[in-house]
Amino acid sequence: MARINDNFLKLKAGYLFPEIARRVNAYSEANPDKAGDLIRCGIGDVTEPVPEATRKAMHEAVDELGNRKTFRGYGPEQGYEFLRTAVVENQFAGLGIDADEVFISDGSKCDSGNILDIFGPGNKIAITDPVYPVYVDTNVMIGNTGEAGENGAFEGLVYLPCTAENNFVPAIPEEKVDLIYLCYPNNPTGTAATREQLSAWVDYAKANDAIILYDAAYESFIQEDDVPRSIFEIDGAKDCAIEFRSFSKIAGFTGVRCAFTVIPKQLTGKAADGSEQPIHALWSRRHSTKFNGASYPVQRGAEAIFTDEGKAEVAELIEHYMGNAKLLREACTEIGLPVFGGVNAPYVWSVARRESIRGACLIKC
Ligand SMILES: *Cc1c(COP(=O)(O)O)cnc(C)c1O
């Protein structure tokens, strides 16, 4: 009989969101009179339609595919240069990131999980607690952890507690770790990391030869001027960080699917023989072997959010979701709950009777 990957059996609790959906369905069935009024604060899905600039660009791209002269088949696995250039010019201007360091994909969830393919066994992995469950589960699947304990924590992972006391940015660990997952602005707590806090992490990573896996899916929701938008705004980050970004939340792309990962060419990791190897080359090899490029109309649609029309539409979307966050913040405050986040991210976090409440504001209020 074919052997399975036993690591999957460690994931007893299942993925969080199907479990939330199961409970919501059970509640709705038991309370049919309330089902229509439920505000779903589980998975952070968007509710607002895809911007017109994007739809227009996608329509045109589809028409190009219908004409033999402009038809395109397989595109470059790394993504079309028009999109990689637009990303660099619009989102990394002045940070010294090259279009060649951007890898377009069909989602940050996949990228942040797949990235483990290029790292070897034996790495010490630090994750924040609470955390986007993808980081934990993908480490379990690939065999980087032991079993889950009573409290659900996996043996072998270094959990970095994020609490109201540390403003949901974890303390630098005393032990040495090799890979660190950071997500700011944060899902699920909605908090942002300051320049000083990120600088401390970059200093730690450089001193310990660690790599920071920085998830900036919510970068566009940042409202305050002094909050860094990219880990690459921090001196030295190009020696120790990978950044993940996605079009999902900023432009209604959760169903359209487009994201990207930035890997500086100077970033290295250690091979078994002790030699230093560029991470960019490994990911390039991985990406072009296991991925065949995001769809052409989708990449044209993503490019369009950087036009003047697209930027204006995205700004409106952000304003809408941040308005939802404000409503949730105010509602929590009104009923006497402590509330965090919702200022630079569309998430708010509250704590009641020792149970945490998370609220994803990507909902229609
Ligand atoms: C929504 C989200 C993403 C984006 O995932 P996609 O696969 O690009 O839709 C990435 N990271 C976090 C923390 C998220 O909440």
Side-chain angles (χ1 to χ4, degrees), residues 247-314:
F247 295 95
S248 279
K249 313 300 163 45
I250 57 175
F253 266 55
T254 53
V256 177
R257 313 301 306 141
C258 198
F260 61 91
T261 293
V262 180
I263 305 188
K265 290 213 169 133
Q266 68 204 66
L267 180 68
T268 56
K270 197 174 272 176
D273 65 4
S275 62
E276 273 190 41
Q277 299 289 335
I279 297 290
H280 183 281
L282 299 184
W283 183 247
S284 176
R285 191 71 176 83
R286 191 268 170 215
H287 199 64
S288 53
T289 301
K290 292 197 182 182
F291 185 64
N292 240 346
S295 115
Y296 173 66
V298 163
Q299 293 191 61
R300 280 293 183 202
E303 179 193 26
I305 74 162
F306 300 120
T307 59
D308 289 345
E309 189 192 353
K311 281 179 189 164
E313 287 183 274
V314 166

Side-chain angles (χ1 to χ4, degrees), residues 44 106-110 132 135 183 187 215 217-218 246 248-249 254 257-259 347:
D106 60 358
S108 266
K109 184 190 203 177
C110 337
Y132 181 54
Y135 314 149
C183 171
N187 172 4
D215 187 338
Y218 296 94
S246 171
S248 279
K249 313 300 163 45
T254 53
R257 313 301 306 141
C258 198
Y347 292 93

Side-chain angles (χ1 to χ4, degrees), residues 124 126 158-161 170-178 180 201 204 207-208:
K124 259 237 167 302
V158 176
Y159 288 88
L160 309 169
I172 303 290
E174 284 172 12
E175 63 195 297
K176 178 178 162 19
V177 302
D178 305 297
I180 306 144
W201 275 106
Y204 170 88
N208 289 280

Side-chain angles (χ1 to χ4, degrees), residues 185-201:
N186 189 254
N187 172 4
T189 65
T191 48
T194 64
R195 202 165 296 278
E196 293 66 39
Q197 286 163 331
L198 287 185
S199 297
W201 275 106

Side-chain angles (χ1 to χ4, degrees), residues 82-100:
F82 63 76
L83 181 54
R84 289 186 286 110
T85 303
V87 157
V88 166
E89 285 175 358
N90 287 280
Q91 300 207 306
F92 296 90
L95 298 183
I97 298 292
D98 196 87
D100 216 27

